[in-house]
Amino acid sequence: MAESPRSDVIQRKPARIQLNPSLVAENSKPEQTGEVFNIWYSKWTGGENNGKIPRSHSKHRCNVELDSGYTKADKYIEDGKINRSQYFCLYFARGYCCNGKSCQYLHRVPTQNDVFPTTVDCFGREKFSDYRDDMTGIGSFEVVNKTLFVSNISTINSSTEAMIRSSFGEFGNVVNVKVLPNRNSAFVSFRLENQAQFAKEAMQCQSLEASNKSETLHIRWSKSVQSQSSLENQETKVLSIEAAKRMLDSLSQHQANKRFKTNNGEVKVNEVNNSQVLPENTGLDMETISKLGQSRKNENQPTINLIPGYSSDDDSE
């Protein structure tokens, strides 16, 4: 895996100008396909096709080792301190920032010291409550998503995984790669969400090898994630069910609260040590426990999987 440049090395040199401003002409905007041109997203919006155009290979690419350096944003960050206010340059990630050291945004790869509100990404763009239907865009503030779905890989072979780790590893610490040979696609997971956000922009419409202009990657967010609260609630539910099952086993073993009639018709109740019958607080009410006891007659009940797998929906374009 390619290692990201060390921050102390980056700070010793100014950020390089990736694109000469004199080469930026008025007609450098992409072909008009909408009504309004958004310079932040570098695309047209509005109109019949809502700004969607056929994907073509990007003309620019971020070279982290050559392009990274200090900018005006770095003077607001103390060494070794958490950065909560200075965002990253979107154009730097895409490889065509004209400002260099004069840029108001950071020109480097995000690290664990860059911590931002969950409502925005590392570029300062506001997230939404849910993903787009096609899983593109900025993302959702309700989940922590560190996994990208990369499609349109031109060739899948024995070296594909290593190539993915190398190219995406320039923009963060890649912890897992799962190649889908039949789909010419792959899942790429990062250690940090901000690095996944950065890599999504940096590798969009690029290729695994910079020289391969015939390959144009399409990158989306993976669907195989759950909100942190959802995972915690699911785990709590499983633990409660397991505790309830142990309670039922104990009730059955001791014949707890079993009612029977004496010779004179009096109803008596067996005395049972509650500390043995109720070993722990299950968090479930008695009605739920009763229903659980009835459901145990069916031994083939499905189990809850706490480890979310990759969604098959991600395989489709």
Side-chain angles (χ1 to χ4, degrees):
M1 181 188 72
E3 293 291 339
S4 302
R6 290 167 43 207
S7 59
D8 58 341
V9 175
I10 292 174
Q11 300 306 320
R12 296 195 189 108
K13 66 182 180 71
R16 188 173 75 95
I17 295 178
Q18 296 170 301
L19 182 62
N20 191 329
S22 63
L23 301 179
V24 181
E26 284 296 325
N27 60 358
S28 63
K29 297 178 182 179
E31 180 182 357
Q32 182 168 353
T33 56
E35 298 175 351
V36 178
F37 183 73
N38 189 319
I39 60 173
W40 188 239
Y41 295 97
S42 187
K43 70 177 183 180
W44 293 91
T45 58
E48 184 177 353
N49 59 3
N50 197 27
K52 293 183 179 180
I53 59 176
R55 294 187 297 273
S56 59
H57 195 280
S58 177
K59 298 179 180 178
H60 309 280
R61 183 167 180 146
C62 177
N63 186 319
V64 175
E65 184 176 358
L66 294 178
D67 299 340
S68 297
Y70 64 78
T71 64
K72 289 185 176 180
D74 284 288
K75 67 181 180 180
Y76 300 104
I77 304 176
E78 297 182 35
D79 292 339
K81 300 294 184 179
I82 299 297
N83 167 38
R84 303 182 187 275
S85 60
Q86 302 304 307
Y87 297 105
F88 290 82
C89 179
L90 179 63
Y91 301 112
F92 163 74
R94 293 174 175 173
Y96 51 81
C97 181
C98 301
N99 296 320
K101 66 178 182 180
S102 300
C103 187
Q104 301 290 339
Y105 296 87
L106 298 172
H107 279 215
R108 58 174 175 80
V109 170
T111 69
Q112 61 185 4
N113 287 336
D114 301 302
V115 181
F116 305 113
T118 57
T119 54
V120 298
D121 68 0
C122 67
F123 303 106
R125 301 177 299 182
E126 292 187 356
K127 296 180 182 179
F128 298 90
S129 60
D130 201 0
Y131 288 97
R132 293 181 180 178
D133 292 339
D134 59 2
M135 297 303 289
T136 60
I138 301 171
S140 169
F141 57 72
E142 293 189 349
V143 298
V144 176
N145 197 340
K146 305 176 185 179
T147 302
L148 304 176
F149 180 63
V150 183
S151 58
N152 287 0
I153 301 175
S154 59
T155 304
I156 300 291
N157 52 43
S158 59
S159 62
T160 300
E161 180 177 340
M163 293 173 60
I164 292 175
R165 288 184 179 275
S166 176
S167 57
F168 280 83
E170 295 182 40
F171 310 107
N173 297 320
V174 176
V175 296
N176 187 53
V177 174
K178 180 179 181 180
V179 180
L180 308 176
N182 296 332
R183 303 295 303 179
N184 282 67
S185 306
F187 293 96
V188 183
S189 299
F190 287 82
R191 184 171 66 88
L192 301 176
E193 184 184 32
N194 56 18
Q195 293 177 345
Q197 295 166 352
F198 192 95
K200 180 176 179 295
E201 293 294 340
M203 290 299 294
Q204 190 71 268
C205 294
Q206 301 288 349
S207 54
L208 296 181
E209 291 184 298
S211 59
N212 185 8
K213 303 300 181 182
S214 63
E215 181 180 68
T216 304
L217 301 178
H218 181 39
I219 305 178
R220 294 171 282 173
W221 292 109
S222 171
K223 295 179 181 179
S224 58
V225 295
Q226 299 184 29
S227 66
Q228 187 64 28
S229 59
S230 175
L231 289 174
E232 291 175 353
N233 291 338
Q234 190 179 35
E235 183 176 5
T236 300
K237 181 178 179 180
V238 172
L239 293 177
S240 297
I241 291 176
E242 291 177 349
K245 287 181 178 179
R246 288 193 294 269
M247 176 191 292
L248 291 172
D249 289 338
S250 181
L251 288 170
S252 176
Q253 180 179 357
H254 295 281
Q255 296 183 340
N257 296 332
K258 180 179 180 182
R259 295 172 178 269
F260 62 94
K261 291 185 177 182
T262 61
N263 294 333
N264 59 5
E266 180 184 358
V267 177
K268 299 188 67 176
V269 180
N270 286 346
E271 294 183 358
V272 181
N273 189 340
N274 288 335
S275 63
Q276 295 177 343
V277 177
L278 304 177
E280 56 185 296
N281 182 12
T282 64
L284 301 176
D285 55 32
M286 291 306 300
E287 181 181 357
T288 303
I289 294 174
S290 177
K291 291 180 180 179
L292 179 61
Q294 295 177 2
S295 68
R296 292 192 67 196
K297 295 180 180 179
N298 183 358
E299 295 296 335
N300 296 322
Q301 290 292 327
T303 58
I304 298 177
N305 183 11
L306 289 178
I307 304 176
Y310 293 106
S311 170
S312 58
D313 293 340
D314 286 323
D315 297 349
S316 58
E317 283 292 321

